[in-house]
Amino acid sequence: CNTIMASGMAALSTLIEQGMSHRGAVAKLFNENRQIIFTGNGYSAEWPPEAAQRGLPNLNTTPLALATFNSDKAKALFKEMNIFTEEEVDARAEVMFENYVTTLGIEVVTLIRMVESAILPACVKDLALYETLPALAGDRSEVYDSIQVELKTLQALVDNRPEDLRAAATYMCDMVKPQMLAVRRRVDLAEGLMDKDLYPYPTYDELIYSHHS
């Protein structure tokens, strides 16, 4: 943001130094860049098509955003502002991609271990309570089995992660994260079915309201 601000002020300063009035210079920059101004809800569904209509990029994932950091345009800006050389920009982009892949990798391994070591064993114990009255078990068997199915799919995706950092970042974002959410949705269903004394982690109610007790 500081670099963008500095570049904008430099452009404004250049216009003024070339003889344009302060008002005229500001008006010129405003007219040339007014398409970026949006007074609606930038998080709403109306913004992406509006941005596309204005010719603006919609970088709605971390990999998409990181890919622009060392674009030719960005490199030229950093060089013009005497901030980074092209090599330094490339190095920083690589570090950011590596950090994203590493962080998400830690999260997915943690999720897998939490489910395998605690959630699934709790499912087994809860289901055992209905051995004599299986008609009362409801959807437990189906839901609990689906956790294992989704977890195996997630592990397979993790095992096939590309080696290239940029490809891995996109893969983790577009393939692994959605499957993590698929596992989480099944576990959330299990939480609603399971005996609360068997559920191995704090529930949402406990996290939100336990300090009131």
Side-chain angles (χ1 to χ4, degrees), residues 129-144:
L129 298 175
Y130 298 87
E131 284 182 343
T132 57
L133 292 170
L136 297 181
D139 296 331
R140 283 174 171 79
S141 181
E142 178 187 350
V143 171
Y144 297 168

Side-chain angles (χ1 to χ4, degrees), residues 13-207:
S13 175
T14 298
L15 292 175
I16 295 173
E17 290 171 358
Q18 290 174 347
M20 190 173 292
S21 68
H22 292 184
R23 180 182 177 83
V26 171
K28 176 178 171 59
L29 289 182
F30 174 79
N31 289 328
E32 290 176 350
N33 299 281
R34 64 187 305 165
Q35 76 275 13
I36 69 171
I37 300 174
F38 179 67
T39 57
N41 181 1
Y43 296 97
S44 68
E46 68 178 305
W47 172 237
E50 177 68 22
Q53 185 177 350
R54 298 182 184 201
L56 300 175
N58 182 26
L59 308 176
N60 58 354
T61 69
T62 299
L64 287 176
L66 291 182
T68 66
F69 185 81
N70 64 338
S71 65
D72 291 341
K73 181 179 181 180
K75 286 180 178 179
L77 174 60
F78 284 124
K79 185 176 181 180
E80 179 186 356
M81 294 288 103
N82 294 315
I83 296 174
F84 296 131
T85 65
E86 292 188 3
E87 292 77 11
E88 288 171 332
V89 176
D90 286 333
R92 284 179 174 265
E94 182 175 357
V95 169
M96 288 189 286
F97 274 111
E98 183 177 20
N99 181 66
Y100 180 80
V101 171
T102 300
T103 300
L104 199 49
I106 292 172
E107 291 177 358
V108 69
V109 169
T110 301
L111 172 62
I112 291 172
R113 289 179 178 175
M114 289 175 69
V115 174
E116 287 182 335
S117 65
I119 296 295
L120 290 177
C123 290
V124 173
K125 293 177 182 178
D126 185 67
L127 197 59
L129 298 175
Y130 298 87
E131 284 182 343
T132 57
L133 292 170
L136 297 181
D139 296 331
R140 283 174 171 79
S141 181
E142 178 187 350
V143 171
Y144 297 168
D145 285 344
S146 70
I147 295 175
Q148 178 77 336
V149 171
E150 298 293 359
L151 195 68
K152 287 182 177 179
T153 301
L154 177 60
Q155 184 64 66
L157 288 171
V158 173
D159 292 341
N160 287 288
R161 191 188 80 186
E163 292 296 328
D164 177 77
L165 276 178
R166 291 197 177 212
T170 300
Y171 180 85
M172 294 293 281
C173 180
D174 296 344
M175 302 296 292
V176 175
K177 278 186 66 177
Q179 187 58 31
M180 291 172 69
L181 291 175
V183 173
R184 184 258 176 88
R185 283 192 292 268
R186 305 314 294 181
V187 172
D188 284 349
L189 288 176
E191 178 186 338
L193 294 172
M194 191 178 298
D195 185 323
K196 70 175 184 177
D197 292 331
L198 292 176
Y199 195 75
Y201 302 115
T203 64
Y204 290 124
D205 283 346
E206 291 170 338
L207 289 172

